[in-house]
Amino acid sequence: MEGRPGDANALLTVGGLSFPAKVGKTGLVPAGAQKQEGDSATPVGRFGLRTAYWRPDRGPRPATSLPTCPIRFDDLWCDDPSHVLYNRPVAAPFSASHEKMWRADRCYDVCIVLDYNLTRPAPGQGSAIFFHLTKEDDVPGPTEGCVAVAPEVMHRLLPMLSLSSVMDVRHKG
């Protein structure tokens, strides 16, 4: 995937096919800079694909070789850098800062966790970096730091994805 600092439009290329994608409001983290919690930037790097979450009330289990997990109404993701469960899935009730996985929009109807800041989460260097669906079709907006594609693109890609898949996010040019 290629994009630019300051630009939320990107190009996702898989097996010789290219698709439009959206990244963070502030584009990709510039070379030499470090991702920060809440900066609305998408990190640059090579990230493995982990668990594929999906909303079972909005569609069937995704057709993918990735491990899958249905999203429940009380599923959250901790984004509080001071919490011991930073950048981890948690469940409500949860008093620390978090992101809801069960959303009113379609973004997380299919949501794949990218292996960014997961193994030993560095507090404040970004959390909840996912590969998910765009909010709408007509003029999709930017993400908060994730990578997003239209539903038809995601459903076309899902059968190709496995734990050996890698998302390579880099600057264009």
Side-chain angles (χ1 to χ4, degrees), residues 7-26:
D7 187 355
N9 296 301
L11 191 63
L12 178 66
T13 303
V14 179
L17 303 171
S18 294
F19 306 98
K22 290 293 184 175
V23 294
K25 287 185 238 191
T26 57

Side-chain angles (χ1 to χ4, degrees), residues 13-65:
T13 303
V14 179
L17 303 171
S18 294
F19 306 98
K22 290 293 184 175
V23 294
K25 287 185 238 191
T26 57
L28 303 184
V29 173
Q34 186 171 315
K35 169 111 180 92
Q36 297 292 316
E37 187 70 40
D39 63 4
S40 295
T42 299
V44 171
R46 291 176 52 81
F47 310 112
L49 307 183
R50 297 295 162 240
T51 305
Y53 287 90
W54 92 97
R55 284 273 304 262
D57 62 319
R58 294 195 178 161
R61 178 188 176 277
T64 183
S65 295

